[in-house]
Amino acid sequence: MKPTLESLFLLVNLLPLPFWFLMIALPHWRGTQRVMRGRVVLVPLLAAYAVVLILQRNDLAALITAPEPPTLSRLADVLGRQEWALLAWIHFLAFDLFVGRWEYRDSRERQISAWVMAPVLLLTLLFGPFGLLVYLAVRTLFRRQVPVAINPETRPERN
């Protein structure tokens, strides 16, 4: 049985959910930390994207080599086709997960509370760039305390 675009759409929607669940619901679990350190988290979505992209290679070639400059209406026409809408959706899912994974790892390094991060990660899952913007704001509030190198000549004397 040949998979339909609808079944592929369902599959790619399910692929990232376990990883989002781990980051939001079980951020301190060693298994979550181990999984999020690896890059394999992203591979299924990237592979799905590559497959759909390769299947659209003829349309892609025509799109890239078109003599006229890209326009919003032309983009809307392209994305109005199911194959291209699916490709764009996988793109969103993959990059949102990439950003969420970075936010998770960075927040752990900065020791930002999981209670603060849960809604931020949820915003990233649902609204990608807006969630990233919120995280960047949160991140500035939790600047890492980096030890400053002390010049031996200006070091306070110990008595």
Side-chain angles (χ1 to χ4, degrees):
M1 180 177 145
K2 183 179 175 184
T4 66
L5 290 178
E6 285 294 334
S7 60
L8 186 54
F9 178 74
L10 177 61
L11 175 66
V12 298
N13 274 302
L14 295 175
L15 285 174
L17 292 181
F19 303 115
W20 285 107
F21 175 79
L22 289 172
M23 290 187 290
I24 294 169
L26 301 169
H28 299 293
W29 182 47
R30 251 186 298 148
T32 302
Q33 295 168 31
R34 187 174 47 249
V35 167
M36 290 306 140
R37 270 195 305 270
R39 293 183 186 105
V40 73
V41 169
L42 300 166
V43 170
L45 285 172
L46 300 178
Y49 184 87
V51 168
V52 175
L53 184 66
I54 290 167
L55 292 174
Q56 297 307 308
R57 66 187 172 277
N58 293 335
D59 290 343
L60 179 62
L63 189 64
I64 291 173
T65 59
E68 64 271 0
T71 63
L72 184 57
S73 60
R74 203 165 133 229
L75 177 63
D77 289 342
V78 169
L79 292 178
R81 295 180 45 214
Q82 284 191 342
E83 299 85 1
W84 287 93
L86 177 60
L87 193 64
W89 186 245
I90 298 170
H91 185 278
F92 294 152
L93 292 173
F95 273 84
D96 288 352
L97 183 57
F98 179 82
V99 169
R101 178 178 163 266
W102 173 78
E103 290 171 351
Y104 168 79
R105 293 180 68 199
D106 188 67
S107 69
R108 300 282 303 155
E109 186 177 306
R110 294 171 184 281
Q111 300 176 339
I112 299 173
S113 166
W115 293 105
V116 171
M117 285 308 298
V120 172
L121 288 166
L122 192 57
L123 285 173
T124 303
L125 167 62
L126 298 174
F127 307 110
F130 180 67
L132 176 58
L133 179 64
V134 171
Y135 179 67
L136 293 175
V138 165
R139 190 176 192 255
T140 61
L141 299 174
F142 292 89
R143 291 210 183 272
R144 211 175 312 154
Q145 297 298 323
V146 179
V148 178
I150 298 175
N151 183 340
E153 294 173 11
T154 60
R155 176 181 284 156
E157 301 246 353
R158 292 186 190 163
N159 293 330

